[in-house]
């Protein structure tokens, strides 16, 4: 299946601007997206468990994906 990965702020700076197309096997989960991204240069910027959204809704790492889904990795936001 093919999904589209959106990266923001420091994640986009480290891994490149999105959206990034990603090929995954059938039955893949949101966690599999993170695992696939860890193989790319700059992936050290990803924390062990980044915040995830699938099709604009918060998602757990175990969320099953479907062909055409959009997966977003969201860095922490700080204010002051």
């Amino acid at each position: 299946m093919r999904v589209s990965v959106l990266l923001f702020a420091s994640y986009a700076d480290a891994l490149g601007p999105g959206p990034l197309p990603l090929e995954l096997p059938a039955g893949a989960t949101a966690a599999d997206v993170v695992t696939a991204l860890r193989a790319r240069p700059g992936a050290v910027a990803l924390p062990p468990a980044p915040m995830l959204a699938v099709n604009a809704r918060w998602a757990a790492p175990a969320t099953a994906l479907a062909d055409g889904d959009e997966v977003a990795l969201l860095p922490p936001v700080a204010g002051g």
Side-chain angles (χ1 to χ4, degrees):
M1 83 174 85
R2 186 178 191 117
V3 299
S4 180
V5 180
L6 302 177
L7 302 167
F8 299 93
S10 61
Y11 299 167
D13 292 342
L15 293 161
L20 303 174
L22 192 61
E23 290 287 337
L24 297 169
T29 65
D32 293 324
V33 170
V34 177
T35 298
L37 290 175
R38 289 196 191 286
R40 295 181 178 221
V44 293
L46 293 177
M51 298 290 295
L52 299 166
V54 175
N55 298 326
R57 293 184 177 220
W58 295 114
T63 300
L65 300 177
D67 188 51
D69 278 352
E70 183 180 78
V71 180
L73 278 74
L74 302 139
V77 177

